[in-house]
């Protein structure tokens, strides 16, 4: 584990002072929308955090009855 700085990309939500995290990125420059706020966050992460955190989906049709 090592201490790294990641960037929380926040977007204004409904209600006063409410923000939602829309992205956790390695850089401040990741694509955002106008009005998004980027906040640095120092966190201790495993060296391969971003590779393991990526979501991968495999979809395969099932044999059998049609609905």
């Amino acid at each position: 584990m090592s201490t790294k700085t990641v960037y929380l990309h926040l977007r204004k939500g409904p209600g006063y002072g409410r923000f939602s995290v829309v992205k956790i990125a390695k850089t401040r420059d990741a694509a955002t929308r106008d009005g998004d706020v980027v906040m640095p966050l120092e966190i201790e992460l495993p060296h391969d955090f971003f590779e393991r955190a990526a979501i991968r989906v495999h979809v395969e049709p099932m044999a059998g009855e049609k609905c």
Side-chain angles (χ1 to χ4, degrees):
M1 296 245 212
S2 64
T3 301
K4 298 183 184 207
T5 299
V6 295
Y7 296 88
L8 297 180
H9 292 254
L10 308 172
R11 187 164 295 150
K12 181 101 169 96
Y16 178 75
R18 293 183 182 242
F19 285 88
S20 298
V21 175
V22 293
K23 183 186 300 184
I24 299 175
K26 292 191 237 184
T27 68
R28 177 182 292 276
D29 300 329
T32 59
R33 290 197 319 203
D34 287 345
D36 284 358
V37 176
V38 180
M39 182 177 84
L41 173 70
E42 194 171 293
I43 190 168
E44 195 171 289
L45 296 171
H47 69 284
D48 61 347
F49 171 79
F50 284 98
E51 288 78 23
R52 289 190 302 138
I55 297 171
R56 294 186 178 101
V57 177
H58 176 76
V59 178
E60 198 172 300
M62 294 175 51
E65 288 185 34
K66 293 184 179 180
C67 296

